[in-house]
Each structure stands twice: as C-alpha cells, then as structure tokens.
Amino acid sequence: MNEHTYVAIMAGGVGSRFWPASREDKPKQFLDIAGDGRSLLRMTFDRFLKLTSADKIFIVTNGRYRQLVKDHLPEVTDQQILCEPSRNNTAPSVAYTAFKLHGIDPEANFVIAPSDALIVNDTLFTANINKALRFTAENDALLTLGISPDAPHTGYGYIQFLDEQTNTDDVYRVKRFTEKPDLPTAKSFLKSGDYLWNAGIFIWRARTILDAYEQHAPEIYALLSQGLDRYNTDQEQAFIDEFYPQTPSISVDYAIMENADNIYTIPAQFGWSDLGAWGALYHESNKDKDGNVLTGRVVLEDTHNSFIRGPKDKLVVVGGVDDLLVIDEGDVLLVYPRNREQEIKALRARVEELHGEGYV
C-alpha cells in the first residue's frame, strides 16, 4: 500500500429512485440492498480496505448522517467524516475533500467514488484502481474509471476515449463526455467500440484536482480556499457550515471533467451497476424460474418477471401479474410497473407534497 493513497466515499445522497425503501432518515447507502447482511456503504468500505488502511478512508456525507456513518463504520473517526451542511451536487464535495486531504498530505493521491454501486469482482476492481493510482501519482492527470458497456443503456452517461494508449497500464485520453443518450444513440455508441459507461469513480492527486478547480471552477475554489488554515482543525466544520452552502450546485462532471484537457480513462470490466433504481437491482439479483426477485416471506401464483420486497414480519401474496414492482415498507406500499421505474422519483415528490415528509 502506498503511504500517499487515500479514499473518499461519497455517501450523502438520498436515493430517491429507491423510494420507499430509501428514505430521508435512512437512504439507500445505509440499507442492506444486496441482501448479504451489510449496507452498501459497508460493502464499499470493505472493498477499499484492500487498497489502503481504514484511517485513510474518508466519508463525504450530509451532516444529518454523521451518526449513521459511525454506526455502520465504527472504525472511522469524526476526523474522517466530512459533513456537508447542504446538498450542492458533487463538485463542491470533491473540492472540499481535495482541500482537506491536501492539508493532511500534500502528496495525497486519492480515489473518490460513490457508496452505492454494486461491484461483483472486487479483485479486478482493486487491480484497476491500482493501475489508475500509479498513473496519477506520476502524471498531472484527472482519471475516471470507465465501464466497458455490455448493453445500450440509456440511464448512464458515456465517455468517448481516443484509441491510443498513453502507457502500458491501458490508460487512454478522453475525447468527450456525453450525458444519458436516447436508445438509438446508445446503440451507436456500443457499436463504435470507443465509448464507456461513466461510473463516477475518479482518481487524481489532490494538488492536480485543486489546480483544475482554480482554472475551471474558480467560484468554488475561491470560496473553499478561504479555509486553508481551518481544515483538519476544530474550526473546520464551522467554516464549512458557513461557506459550503454558498457554492454553486453543480456536478464535478460539468464543472471540471467536461472542461479540463488532462482527462484520462481506464476501460474496466468488474461487474458494475450504479444501482440507481429498482430495475438495476432486479437486473443484478438472482431470480426464480419465473424471473421473479423476492425478498421476505412471499407466496406467488401466476406471477412473472416481478420484483417483490416485503418486511420480515409480513406475508406478501401476489398473483396474476407480470412485470411489477411491489415494495412494502410497512408504512408505504408501492405497486408500480417495472418498466416505469424512472417515474418513482417524481412520484415520491408528489407523495411528500400530498402527505408530508413523514412518508419520504
């Protein structure tokens, strides 16, 4: 393990497309979505322990989840939990992380990754991250892991790479980023062979990404650089509480990755899903002979290709339906067509409007 290797896990989102299981008080990164007894956050933390030691893994979250993080990751200290006072998308959180880690170690070389991805092959994943860290340690590079696509997915962003390697570690220069495409465009991307899914897993040195902010996102840099003497002190949280909410709400993809010219990627394939919505979990889960994914005590009759999740203390009986989502969380029961899962985020907002925040 390299002494300058750090990890930051982004765990502040609310997972609104996983409603009603994912709630404001306990979003999906704190749930045992995969069914192996660990939350997604715990699974992500365990995966990164193969890369560096526990004291070099930091959690970037919303302030309201500090205690939840400590409950799931008892080996993490308060100093390792970066608490955002507001949800301003990923660009401010990446900048905050970079300032903090650069203050700890000016040579810090770090991975920043979401807490809620499902990764099947941890060994391959670690090998790819180590390749990336070797490259960013020696180059002023902003590197993103790209996932070799196996389907024309319309729910992911895409990375187009130039077909010439920069070194022996399969590192390629990025040509452009594309937001979620329509189906014909996604099919053309797959056919062309030079597009990857954007997994939102970034690797860079703290100094390199801070230089990129100074050039491409000067407003964020100017606001958060005012705290240089307060990071990693008992004044850090007070500074962040005051200045962080003033940063623009923008993703790191828009703020930095689409503007910088030192962007690289490694095409990877380690069994990845961003678990953005119920359909992704359905796709990745084991199914019965009729294509159903079941959690809890479920009795089925003439039911196919459905995702049914019930509480441990309730018997759920479903019959005569196909292609349904049935999610029973006790106080909320969702029954919805599986192919319309992208509507759940808007549906959740409507529920909050009609019945208050207690149900979201």
Side-chain angles (χ1 to χ4, degrees):
M1 291 179 183
N2 190 302
E3 62 175 310
H4 300 300
T5 296
Y6 297 81
V7 172
I9 301 171
M10 292 185 282
V14 75
S16 52
R17 288 183 180 85
F18 262 98
W19 183 81
S22 183
R23 309 290 269 270
E24 284 281 353
D25 288 340
K26 194 174 184 182
K28 68 172 177 177
Q29 59 269 30
F30 300 105
L31 302 178
D32 176 15
I33 289 282
D36 82 337
R38 295 178 297 164
S39 65
L40 288 171
L41 175 61
R42 182 74 236 184
M43 290 173 72
T44 305
F45 188 86
D46 289 347
R47 189 177 301 122
F48 280 121
L49 284 175
K50 296 169 183 166
L51 193 77
T52 193
S53 52
D55 62 313
K56 290 186 174 176
I57 303 177
F58 291 73
I59 313 300
V60 189
T61 190
N62 188 274
R64 70 187 297 181
Y65 303 137
R66 179 193 290 273
Q67 189 56 50
L68 269 176
V69 170
K70 293 168 80 168
D71 292 346
H72 286 249
L73 308 175
E75 55 269 74
V76 165
T77 65
D78 282 343
Q79 169 68 6
Q80 290 166 259
I81 306 173
L82 287 70
C83 288
E84 305 162 340
S86 57
R87 290 193 173 107
N88 289 26
N89 214 317
T90 54
S93 60
V94 170
Y96 173 20
T97 306
F99 276 118
K100 184 175 176 71
L101 292 182
H102 188 266
I104 293 170
D105 177 359
E107 294 299 312
N109 190 23
F110 73 96
V111 185
I112 188 159
S115 58
D116 53 3
L118 186 66
I119 288 168
V120 175
N121 191 323
D122 284 359
T123 305
L124 259 181
F125 174 78
T126 305
N128 277 287
I129 293 284
N130 276 319
K131 275 186 193 180
L133 286 163
R134 282 196 297 272
F135 187 77
T136 56
E138 296 167 6
N139 298 276
D140 286 330
L142 306 176
L143 196 148
T144 178
L145 280 194
I147 308 299
S148 301
D150 57 13
H153 204 296
T154 58
Y156 299 152
Y158 283 74
I159 303 163
Q160 186 181 21
F161 62 97
L162 296 169
D163 198 11
E164 66 243 13
Q165 284 179 237
T166 56
N167 72 355
T168 54
D169 266 346
D170 303 322
V171 179
Y172 296 83
R173 190 176 276 277
V174 169
K175 185 175 180 182
R176 68 176 179 135
F177 288 83
T178 303
E179 282 303 299
K180 299 170 184 177
D182 58 22
L183 188 58
T185 307
K187 285 180 176 175
S188 72
F189 287 174
L190 202 65
K191 195 173 179 183
S192 73
D194 59 351
Y195 281 85
L196 306 166
W197 288 334
N198 182 3
I201 300 168
F202 304 108
I203 302 95
W204 39 49
R205 272 182 291 145
R207 182 70 263 162
T208 307
I209 187 64
L210 288 174
D211 288 344
Y213 272 89
E214 192 169 16
Q215 184 177 352
H216 301 294
E219 187 181 352
I220 295 174
Y221 185 89
L223 278 164
L224 297 185
S225 63
Q226 294 174 71
L228 287 177
D229 59 345
R230 301 194 220 172
Y231 291 114
N232 305 302
T233 74
D234 57 7
Q235 297 169 35
E236 177 181 319
Q237 193 64 54
F239 168 78
I240 287 296
D241 287 349
E242 181 179 353
F243 287 94
Y244 191 94
Q246 300 173 42
T247 59
S249 182
I250 185 172
S251 71
V252 70
D253 301 75
Y254 277 130
I256 305 296
M257 305 303 278
E258 294 189 6
N259 296 304
D261 56 10
N262 56 336
I263 310 288
Y264 296 84
T265 191
I266 294 176
Q269 191 57 278
F270 36 70
W272 171 88
S273 169
D274 79 335
L275 287 189
W278 289 111
L281 183 59
Y282 173 84
H283 180 72
E284 297 295 334
S285 300
N286 294 325
K287 299 167 184 67
D288 69 10
K289 62 181 176 55
D290 293 317
N292 300 302
V293 174
L294 311 174
T295 304
R297 300 167 69 192
V298 181
V299 175
L300 297 182
E301 181 65 38
D302 187 27
T303 296
H304 308 86
N305 306 319
S306 294
F307 186 103
I308 299 163
R309 173 186 169 102
K312 288 175 185 164
D313 59 351
K314 183 183 282 190
L315 179 64
V316 178
V317 183
V318 179
V321 296
D322 295 338
D323 304 300
L324 268 193
L325 283 173
V326 180
I327 315 293
D328 188 342
E329 291 297 318
D331 63 336
V332 179
L333 169 64
L334 174 78
V335 181
Y336 220 68
R338 200 162 55 78
N339 64 357
R340 291 170 58 185
E341 59 158 10
Q342 293 301 325
E343 298 172 19
I344 289 175
K345 184 176 181 179
L347 193 66
R348 173 187 177 274
R350 190 164 152 234
V351 166
E352 183 174 15
E353 190 181 314
L354 291 171
H355 298 287
E357 57 186 30
Y359 291 102
V360 300

